Amino acid sequence: MRLLNPAARIIDAATGAVVTDLVRPELFDGVPRGVVFLRMPTTVDSVAAYVTAFELGRPVALLDPGLADETLLEFIDRFEPAAVLGPVPDEPAKGYTALDQAWVRETAPDTAPHPDLAVLLATSGSTGDPKLVRLSRRALLANAESIVEALGITGADVAISALPFYYSYGMSVLNTHLVAGAALVVEADGLLGRGFWPAVDRHRVSSMALVPSQYDMLVRLRFDPAAHPALRTLTQAGGRLRPELVREFHDRMAAAGGRLFVMYGQTEAAPRLTTLPAHRLGEKPGSVGPAVPGGRLSIRLEDGTETTEPDLVGEVLYRGPNVMLGYAETAADLARGDDHGGLLVTGDLGHLDADGYLYLDGRLKRFGKVFGVRLNLDDIERLLPVPAAAVSGEDRVIVFAKCTNPIEVGHKLAEHLRLHWSGFEVRPVESFPLLPNSKIDYRALEAMR
């Protein structure tokens, strides 16, 4: 199966042009074998470069165009790409020739990438994390097909680029609409940009995929789906959305004849793992749904046994054709095949209910200690009535919270956990530092301890 359904359309919000000629082989003329780095701004040309690479079987790493020059050069040094496409500095890296908006390697890399390799994604946006996730063509297409089925995407659907394409969730939105022969509006300014909502209405956008911080934006914008008659589907992934907002947006969409889908994903799964059907959201509050079609969930308990029995908490395991080949830390890793055999050890704690619906209970390694008591930092965030982000200190938990009375918040938290208040430090903040994928940047918070 190909990524590009001939009926798929990309709409340029800036010009209104409808683009269907997305395969442009000339982009790779003169480029030696090997992985291509694509610095991917939200443009039609970037989409065309990605689609062309996929259809020609050229493995491509999708990178944040805002990646710092020194980080880009570090990535080039370690992964030896055949070319760097997109916005590039004027002075090319050593061993590369500068062309128009590109650097091309003067000789082919020593290591040829594995024939199954299709896409590489950085695990933490532009933070300089040394690992790239290796995704196969099969994994990407399998996940796209699963999501098309789970959401009922058809050729009549129109999505909009509310997320960057180098972020796995944004890439997934692009993939699903290309596979389904649907339309996607490329709009670079985002929810708060002047052109975004006019584009939603002008092009009759029917669905939007958003992360939790963007739902907070919608609250501030006093979003009313009834004001956008074609918009009938919202999806949410990229972190936990507060239960009150899940209910609020479910009710808002239902009142307008629309749907909200809560999802769970990881880049390592290309990237979506579960989908909670909109019509079951009311009876399954807090769930992220069952595995996507073709996938299977289980729970690994502390003694190492796996189970699908309900209400037993352990590490979430996922099996399916969309699981990554593995990670890459150097160019030599690009030649590796499948290291995981379709099994993803998520690092998340969770439990299943009797229907196989998953409920997440936190990150396996997101723990702190207060007076010798081990505390789940995700649980602490859930306990608070205000948006918060918790990190572990030396002998206490530090909570960054959107509040006006941090002492009161800290005392109530300590009271609930039956621990002395001195084990918690609450610091008021107006906003949280975010990664390029709009998730909370816990590393930045840890640096502020």
Side-chain angles (χ1 to χ4, degrees):
M1 180 181 175
R2 297 175 60 190
L3 176 67
L4 181 60
N5 183 315
R9 294 95 63 207
I10 299 297
I11 302 171
D12 188 337
T15 64
V18 179
V19 181
T20 57
D21 60 330
L22 295 169
V23 180
R24 305 172 184 175
E26 67 276 7
L27 292 174
F28 294 90
D29 286 349
V31 176
R33 73 175 189 188
V35 166
V36 172
F37 278 8
L38 174 58
R39 305 187 81 187
M40 199 170 187
T42 306
T43 64
V44 173
D45 286 344
S46 288
V47 172
Y50 166 63
V51 171
T52 301
F54 199 101
E55 298 296 87
L56 294 182
R58 296 293 307 251
V60 59
L62 307 183
L63 300 179
D64 180 355
L67 203 65
D69 288 354
E70 58 268 25
T71 305
L72 174 64
L73 292 173
E74 178 196 351
F75 270 51
I76 289 171
D77 185 54
R78 285 192 292 112
F79 295 106
E80 302 175 3
V84 182
L85 307 182
V88 291
D90 293 334
E91 184 67 29
K94 184 179 180 180
Y96 289 79
T97 298
L99 302 176
D100 183 32
Q101 289 292 292
W103 293 344
V104 176
R105 191 177 175 89
E106 294 167 357
T107 59
D110 293 335
T111 304
H114 193 277
D116 292 341
L117 181 62
V119 169
L120 294 151
L121 294 174
T123 53
S124 297
S126 60
T127 61
D129 191 298
K131 291 192 293 188
L132 296 178
V133 174
R134 296 184 290 118
L135 296 170
S136 70
R137 182 184 185 89
R138 175 174 178 259
L140 291 158
L141 293 177
N143 198 236
E145 290 177 306
S146 294
I147 299 306
V148 168
E149 179 181 342
L151 300 185
I153 299 172
T154 72
D157 280 300
V158 182
I160 189 166
S161 59
L163 298 163
F165 297 129
Y166 58 82
Y167 169 41
S168 60
Y169 189 14
M171 176 200 67
S172 179
V173 173
L174 174 59
N175 289 347
T176 52
H177 286 73
L178 291 172
V179 164
L184 186 136
V185 178
V186 175
E187 205 289 326
D189 293 335
L191 268 63
L192 301 181
R194 295 179 61 181
F196 186 86
W197 295 103
V200 167
D201 296 329
R202 184 182 312 116
H203 300 292
R204 297 190 58 78
V205 168
S206 60
S207 68
M208 287 198 308
L210 306 171
V211 296
S213 62
Q214 291 174 309
Y215 280 92
D216 288 329
M217 291 181 192
L218 290 186
V219 172
R220 294 196 297 272
L221 292 171
R222 299 181 180 179
F223 168 75
D224 179 6
H228 310 284
L231 183 60
R232 286 297 172 263
T233 300
L234 293 180
T235 64
Q236 180 267 315
R240 177 180 173 272
L241 184 62
R242 301 197 307 277
E244 64 271 21
L245 287 186
V246 171
R247 171 56 61 185
E248 179 179 342
F249 282 96
H250 170 69
D251 291 345
R252 289 190 192 190
M253 292 302 291
R259 311 170 298 170
L260 170 68
F261 290 92
V262 174
M263 316 180 90
Y264 162 57
Q266 292 192 357
T267 299
E268 291 85 347
R272 300 193 234 187
L273 294 146
T274 72
T275 302
L276 177 61
H279 69 277
R280 303 204 69 179
L281 190 149
E283 63 181 290
K284 301 282 189 180
S287 174
V288 293
V292 296
R296 182 163 58 91
L297 294 165
S298 63
I299 302 297
R300 183 162 65 189
L301 305 178
E302 285 191 3
D303 62 5
T305 60
E306 279 188 56
T307 183
T308 56
E309 292 295 312
D311 303 322
L312 296 177
V313 176
E315 185 170 17
V316 178
L317 304 182
Y318 173 87
R319 289 178 172 85
N322 52 310
V323 172
M324 67 175 176
L325 298 170
Y327 294 109
E329 297 189 51
T330 67
D333 294 329
L334 303 178
R336 297 177 66 89
D338 186 356
D339 293 335
H340 289 260
L343 169 64
L344 178 62
V345 179
T346 68
D348 288 323
L349 291 171
H351 66 275
L352 301 171
D353 69 9
D355 296 322
Y357 281 56
L358 177 64
Y359 294 75
L360 296 173
D361 297 299
R363 284 290 293 173
L364 191 64
K365 297 180 181 179
R366 285 263 298 147
F367 287 95
K369 278 193 175 182
V370 174
F371 309 124
V373 178
R374 192 165 178 256
L375 298 174
N376 186 312
L377 299 177
D378 297 293
D379 283 346
I380 288 175
E381 293 176 2
R382 280 193 286 268
L383 285 172
L384 296 173
V386 295
V391 298
S392 177
E394 287 242 346
D395 54 358
R396 67 193 191 283
V397 168
I398 300 170
V399 180
F400 297 86
K402 294 182 180 180
C403 65
T404 56
N405 194 332
I407 294 176
E408 180 182 351
V409 170
H411 279 260
K412 286 186 175 179
L413 178 62
E415 182 181 351
H416 184 92
L417 296 171
R418 299 181 181 179
L419 293 167
H420 194 268
W421 59 265
S422 62
F424 303 93
E425 179 183 344
V426 179
R427 300 182 188 178
V429 294
E430 293 185 0
S431 60
F432 303 117
L434 299 177
L435 295 166
N437 59 18
S438 296
K439 292 184 181 181
I440 292 174
D441 187 344
Y442 284 99
R443 290 185 184 179
L445 292 177
E446 289 169 354
M448 297 163 57
R449 289 179 299 190

